[in-house]
Short mmCIF file of all heavy atoms in Angstrom, two decimals:
data_model
loop_
_atom_site.label_atom_id
_atom_site.label_comp_id
_atom_site.label_asym_id
_atom_site.label_seq_id
_atom_site.Cartn_x
_atom_site.Cartn_y
_atom_site.Cartn_z
N GLU B 303 -2.95 15.43 23.41
CA GLU B 303 -4.17 16.08 22.99
C GLU B 303 -5.07 15.05 22.25
O GLU B 303 -6.31 15.05 22.38
CB GLU B 303 -3.83 17.25 22.16
CG GLU B 303 -4.91 18.33 21.98
CD GLU B 303 -5.16 19.02 23.24
OE1 GLU B 303 -4.25 19.20 24.15
OE2 GLU B 303 -6.39 19.47 23.48
N ILE B 304 -4.45 14.28 21.39
CA ILE B 304 -5.22 13.23 20.69
C ILE B 304 -5.86 12.26 21.71
O ILE B 304 -7.03 11.92 21.60
CB ILE B 304 -4.31 12.37 19.70
CG1 ILE B 304 -3.97 13.27 18.53
CG2 ILE B 304 -4.96 11.16 19.19
CD1 ILE B 304 -2.93 12.69 17.61
N ASP B 305 -5.10 11.84 22.74
CA ASP B 305 -5.59 10.96 23.77
C ASP B 305 -6.83 11.67 24.45
O ASP B 305 -7.89 11.05 24.61
CB ASP B 305 -4.53 10.68 24.77
CG ASP B 305 -4.81 9.73 25.89
OD1 ASP B 305 -5.98 9.25 25.83
OD2 ASP B 305 -4.04 9.48 26.75
N ARG B 306 -6.63 12.93 24.82
CA ARG B 306 -7.71 13.66 25.64
C ARG B 306 -8.94 13.80 24.74
O ARG B 306 -10.03 13.61 25.21
CB ARG B 306 -7.10 14.97 26.03
CG ARG B 306 -7.95 15.72 27.02
CD ARG B 306 -7.17 16.79 27.83
NE ARG B 306 -6.16 17.50 27.07
CZ ARG B 306 -4.82 17.47 27.28
NH1 ARG B 306 -4.38 16.74 28.21
NH2 ARG B 306 -3.98 18.20 26.59
N ARG B 307 -8.72 14.21 23.48
CA ARG B 307 -9.82 14.58 22.64
C ARG B 307 -10.53 13.44 22.05
O ARG B 307 -11.61 13.50 21.33
CB ARG B 307 -9.35 15.53 21.54
CG ARG B 307 -8.74 16.83 22.08
CD ARG B 307 -9.73 17.75 22.75
NE ARG B 307 -9.00 18.91 23.37
CZ ARG B 307 -9.74 19.86 23.96
NH1 ARG B 307 -10.96 19.80 24.19
NH2 ARG B 307 -9.06 20.87 24.53
N THR B 308 -9.93 12.27 22.06
CA THR B 308 -10.64 11.04 21.53
C THR B 308 -11.05 10.15 22.70
O THR B 308 -11.44 8.94 22.47
CB THR B 308 -9.64 10.19 20.59
OG1 THR B 308 -8.52 9.78 21.32
CG2 THR B 308 -9.20 11.05 19.41
N SER B 309 -10.97 10.64 23.93
CA SER B 309 -11.32 9.88 25.10
C SER B 309 -10.66 8.55 25.18
O SER B 309 -11.24 7.44 25.45
CB SER B 309 -12.84 9.66 25.18
OG SER B 309 -13.55 10.87 25.14
N GLY B 310 -9.35 8.58 24.82
CA GLY B 310 -8.47 7.37 24.93
C GLY B 310 -8.61 6.34 23.82
O GLY B 310 -8.05 5.27 23.85
N LEU B 311 -9.31 6.73 22.78
CA LEU B 311 -9.33 5.89 21.55
C LEU B 311 -7.92 5.71 21.05
O LEU B 311 -7.53 4.53 20.65
CB LEU B 311 -10.11 6.56 20.44
CG LEU B 311 -10.23 5.85 19.12
CD1 LEU B 311 -11.15 4.66 19.32
CD2 LEU B 311 -10.80 6.78 18.07
N LEU B 312 -7.12 6.75 21.08
CA LEU B 312 -5.63 6.61 20.73
C LEU B 312 -4.88 7.25 21.88
O LEU B 312 -5.07 8.43 22.13
CB LEU B 312 -5.43 7.37 19.47
CG LEU B 312 -5.55 6.59 18.15
CD1 LEU B 312 -5.29 7.54 16.95
CD2 LEU B 312 -4.55 5.42 18.05
N THR B 313 -4.00 6.49 22.55
CA THR B 313 -3.20 7.11 23.53
C THR B 313 -1.74 7.16 23.05
O THR B 313 -1.45 6.54 22.00
CB THR B 313 -3.21 6.15 24.80
OG1 THR B 313 -2.48 4.96 24.45
CG2 THR B 313 -4.59 5.79 25.18
N PRO B 314 -0.91 7.88 23.69
CA PRO B 314 0.47 7.97 23.30
C PRO B 314 1.17 6.58 23.08
O PRO B 314 1.96 6.38 22.20
CB PRO B 314 1.14 8.75 24.39
CG PRO B 314 0.09 9.69 24.88
CD PRO B 314 -1.13 8.83 24.89
N SER B 315 0.74 5.55 23.90
CA SER B 315 1.37 4.31 23.77
C SER B 315 0.87 3.51 22.50
O SER B 315 1.35 2.42 22.22
CB SER B 315 1.16 3.54 25.08
OG SER B 315 -0.14 3.28 25.23
N ASP B 316 -0.14 4.03 21.84
CA ASP B 316 -0.56 3.42 20.59
C ASP B 316 0.29 3.86 19.44
O ASP B 316 0.13 3.32 18.33
CB ASP B 316 -2.08 3.74 20.32
CG ASP B 316 -3.02 3.05 21.29
OD1 ASP B 316 -2.74 1.96 21.62
OD2 ASP B 316 -3.90 3.78 21.74
N PHE B 317 1.13 4.78 19.65
CA PHE B 317 1.99 5.29 18.60
C PHE B 317 3.40 4.69 18.65
O PHE B 317 3.91 4.42 19.74
CB PHE B 317 2.11 6.85 18.68
CG PHE B 317 0.93 7.57 18.22
CD1 PHE B 317 -0.21 7.77 19.14
CD2 PHE B 317 0.78 8.10 16.98
CE1 PHE B 317 -1.39 8.41 18.74
CE2 PHE B 317 -0.42 8.81 16.61
CZ PHE B 317 -1.39 8.94 17.47
N VAL B 318 4.03 4.52 17.53
CA VAL B 318 5.44 4.17 17.51
C VAL B 318 6.18 5.13 16.66
O VAL B 318 5.59 5.70 15.70
CB VAL B 318 5.58 2.70 16.95
CG1 VAL B 318 4.93 1.64 17.84
CG2 VAL B 318 5.20 2.61 15.50
N SER B 319 7.49 5.26 16.89
CA SER B 319 8.30 6.16 16.05
C SER B 319 8.65 5.43 14.77
O SER B 319 8.70 4.15 14.78
CB SER B 319 9.50 6.66 16.76
OG SER B 319 10.31 5.56 17.08
N SER B 320 8.86 6.14 13.73
CA SER B 320 9.28 5.45 12.49
C SER B 320 10.65 5.09 12.54
O SER B 320 11.57 5.89 12.80
CB SER B 320 9.09 6.42 11.26
OG SER B 320 9.68 5.81 10.07
N PRO B 321 11.07 3.75 12.26
CA PRO B 321 12.46 3.38 12.19
C PRO B 321 13.18 3.94 11.03
O PRO B 321 14.40 3.90 10.95
CB PRO B 321 12.39 1.87 12.12
CG PRO B 321 10.99 1.50 12.49
CD PRO B 321 10.13 2.66 12.09
N CYS B 322 12.44 4.46 10.06
CA CYS B 322 13.02 5.00 8.82
C CYS B 322 13.48 6.41 8.89
O CYS B 322 14.07 7.02 7.99
CB CYS B 322 12.03 4.89 7.63
SG CYS B 322 11.53 3.26 7.29
N ALA B 323 13.21 7.02 10.07
CA ALA B 323 13.57 8.43 10.26
C ALA B 323 14.10 8.57 11.67
O ALA B 323 14.20 7.60 12.42
CB ALA B 323 12.28 9.33 10.06
N HIS B 324 14.50 9.80 11.99
CA HIS B 324 14.91 10.05 13.37
C HIS B 324 13.62 9.86 14.23
O HIS B 324 12.59 10.28 13.88
CB HIS B 324 15.48 11.52 13.55
CG HIS B 324 16.12 11.66 14.89
ND1 HIS B 324 15.36 11.88 15.99
CD2 HIS B 324 17.43 11.76 15.25
CE1 HIS B 324 16.20 12.05 16.99
NE2 HIS B 324 17.41 11.96 16.63
N PRO B 325 13.84 9.20 15.34
CA PRO B 325 12.58 8.84 16.15
C PRO B 325 11.86 10.03 16.69
O PRO B 325 10.67 9.88 17.10
CB PRO B 325 13.08 8.02 17.30
CG PRO B 325 14.62 8.14 17.26
CD PRO B 325 15.07 8.52 15.90
N LEU B 326 12.45 11.23 16.66
CA LEU B 326 11.69 12.39 17.09
C LEU B 326 10.87 13.05 16.00
O LEU B 326 10.23 14.05 16.19
CB LEU B 326 12.66 13.42 17.75
CG LEU B 326 13.31 13.01 19.07
CD1 LEU B 326 14.41 13.93 19.46
CD2 LEU B 326 12.22 12.88 20.14
N CYS B 327 10.98 12.48 14.83
CA CYS B 327 10.29 13.17 13.64
C CYS B 327 8.91 12.61 13.35
O CYS B 327 8.03 13.39 12.94
CB CYS B 327 11.20 12.97 12.37
SG CYS B 327 12.75 13.83 12.54
N TYR B 328 8.72 11.29 13.49
CA TYR B 328 7.40 10.70 13.10
C TYR B 328 6.90 9.84 14.32
O TYR B 328 7.61 9.09 14.89
CB TYR B 328 7.49 9.72 11.94
CG TYR B 328 7.45 10.40 10.64
CD1 TYR B 328 8.60 10.47 9.82
CD2 TYR B 328 6.26 10.71 10.06
CE1 TYR B 328 8.58 11.15 8.64
CE2 TYR B 328 6.21 11.31 8.71
CZ TYR B 328 7.38 11.43 8.09
OH TYR B 328 7.35 11.97 6.75
N GLN B 329 5.63 10.01 14.64
CA GLN B 329 4.96 9.07 15.52
C GLN B 329 3.76 8.47 14.73
O GLN B 329 3.06 9.26 14.10
CB GLN B 329 4.46 9.73 16.83
CG GLN B 329 5.62 10.12 17.76
CD GLN B 329 6.11 8.88 18.50
OE1 GLN B 329 5.41 8.04 18.94
NE2 GLN B 329 7.47 8.88 18.68
N ILE B 330 3.56 7.16 14.77
CA ILE B 330 2.63 6.50 13.85
C ILE B 330 1.75 5.55 14.53
O ILE B 330 2.20 4.76 15.42
CB ILE B 330 3.45 5.68 12.79
CG1 ILE B 330 4.44 6.56 11.98
CG2 ILE B 330 2.46 4.94 11.86
CD1 ILE B 330 5.42 5.84 11.21
N ALA B 331 0.49 5.71 14.33
CA ALA B 331 -0.55 4.68 14.88
C ALA B 331 -1.35 4.20 13.69
O ALA B 331 -1.73 4.97 12.75
CB ALA B 331 -1.41 5.38 15.89
N TYR B 332 -1.66 2.88 13.71
CA TYR B 332 -2.53 2.29 12.79
C TYR B 332 -3.83 1.79 13.43
O TYR B 332 -3.69 1.30 14.63
CB TYR B 332 -1.87 1.17 11.94
CG TYR B 332 -1.14 1.67 10.76
CD1 TYR B 332 0.15 2.09 10.90
CD2 TYR B 332 -1.72 1.66 9.51
CE1 TYR B 332 0.91 2.64 9.73
CE2 TYR B 332 -1.04 2.10 8.36
CZ TYR B 332 0.27 2.65 8.49
OH TYR B 332 0.94 3.14 7.45
N LEU B 333 -4.92 1.88 12.76
CA LEU B 333 -6.19 1.45 13.37
C LEU B 333 -6.95 0.51 12.40
O LEU B 333 -7.02 0.80 11.27
CB LEU B 333 -7.09 2.58 13.68
CG LEU B 333 -6.57 3.75 14.56
CD1 LEU B 333 -6.39 4.98 13.80
CD2 LEU B 333 -7.50 3.92 15.72
N LEU B 334 -7.54 -0.56 13.03
CA LEU B 334 -8.47 -1.36 12.23
C LEU B 334 -9.83 -0.66 12.28
O LEU B 334 -10.30 -0.39 13.31
CB LEU B 334 -8.63 -2.77 12.88
CG LEU B 334 -7.72 -3.91 12.39
CD1 LEU B 334 -8.07 -5.10 13.26
CD2 LEU B 334 -7.89 -4.23 11.01
N VAL B 335 -10.47 -0.42 11.11
CA VAL B 335 -11.76 0.18 11.11
C VAL B 335 -12.85 -0.82 11.31
O VAL B 335 -12.81 -1.92 10.72
CB VAL B 335 -11.88 0.91 9.83
CG1 VAL B 335 -13.28 1.48 9.66
CG2 VAL B 335 -10.85 2.00 9.56
N ASP B 336 -13.78 -0.47 12.21
CA ASP B 336 -14.93 -1.35 12.46
C ASP B 336 -16.20 -0.51 12.07
O ASP B 336 -16.50 0.47 12.72
CB ASP B 336 -15.08 -1.65 13.95
CG ASP B 336 -16.19 -2.69 14.22
OD1 ASP B 336 -16.98 -2.89 13.34
OD2 ASP B 336 -16.17 -3.23 15.33
N PRO B 337 -16.87 -0.89 10.98
CA PRO B 337 -18.05 -0.12 10.54
C PRO B 337 -19.13 -0.06 11.65
O PRO B 337 -20.02 0.78 11.62
CB PRO B 337 -18.60 -0.87 9.35
CG PRO B 337 -17.39 -1.73 8.93
CD PRO B 337 -16.61 -2.06 10.19
N SER B 338 -19.13 -1.01 12.56
CA SER B 338 -20.17 -0.99 13.57
C SER B 338 -19.62 -0.75 15.01
O SER B 338 -20.31 -1.12 15.99
CB SER B 338 -20.88 -2.36 13.54
OG SER B 338 -20.05 -3.45 13.66
N GLY B 339 -18.50 -0.18 15.07
CA GLY B 339 -17.89 0.09 16.42
C GLY B 339 -16.70 0.91 16.33
O GLY B 339 -16.28 1.37 15.25
N PRO B 340 -16.06 1.20 17.47
CA PRO B 340 -14.89 2.02 17.43
C PRO B 340 -13.70 1.37 16.76
O PRO B 340 -13.64 0.08 16.88
CB PRO B 340 -14.56 2.38 18.87
CG PRO B 340 -15.29 1.23 19.67
CD PRO B 340 -16.43 0.79 18.87
N PRO B 341 -12.80 2.05 16.17
CA PRO B 341 -11.64 1.38 15.57
C PRO B 341 -10.67 0.85 16.59
O PRO B 341 -10.79 1.21 17.79
CB PRO B 341 -10.95 2.54 14.76
CG PRO B 341 -11.35 3.76 15.52
CD PRO B 341 -12.70 3.55 16.04
N ILE B 342 -9.90 -0.12 16.19
CA ILE B 342 -8.99 -0.74 17.12
C ILE B 342 -7.53 -0.48 16.77
O ILE B 342 -7.11 -0.87 15.66
CB ILE B 342 -9.23 -2.28 17.18
CG1 ILE B 342 -10.67 -2.60 17.53
CG2 ILE B 342 -8.26 -2.98 18.16
CD1 ILE B 342 -11.05 -4.07 17.41
N PRO B 343 -6.78 0.20 17.65
CA PRO B 343 -5.39 0.46 17.34
C PRO B 343 -4.63 -0.85 17.25
O PRO B 343 -4.91 -1.81 17.97
CB PRO B 343 -4.87 1.29 18.51
CG PRO B 343 -6.08 1.92 19.11
CD PRO B 343 -7.23 0.88 18.85
N PHE B 344 -3.72 -0.86 16.26
CA PHE B 344 -2.84 -2.11 16.12
C PHE B 344 -2.20 -2.58 17.37
O PHE B 344 -2.03 -3.70 17.59
CB PHE B 344 -1.88 -1.90 14.94
CG PHE B 344 -2.40 -2.23 13.58
CD1 PHE B 344 -3.71 -1.87 13.26
CD2 PHE B 344 -1.60 -2.77 12.59
CE1 PHE B 344 -4.14 -2.11 11.98
CE2 PHE B 344 -2.08 -3.05 11.35
CZ PHE B 344 -3.33 -2.71 11.02
#
Side-chain angles (χ1 to χ4, degrees):
Chain B
E303 200 66 29
I304 289 173
D305 184 359
R306 190 159 40 244
R307 302 292 175 180
T308 62
S309 302
L311 177 72
L312 270 176
T313 69
S315 61
D316 290 318
F317 287 82
V318 298
S319 62
S320 170
C322 298
H324 190 283
L326 292 168
C327 294
Y328 276 103
Q329 289 285 320
I330 302 167
Y332 273 83
L333 303 114
L334 268 179
V335 175
D336 185 349
S338 54
I342 301 173
F344 273 36

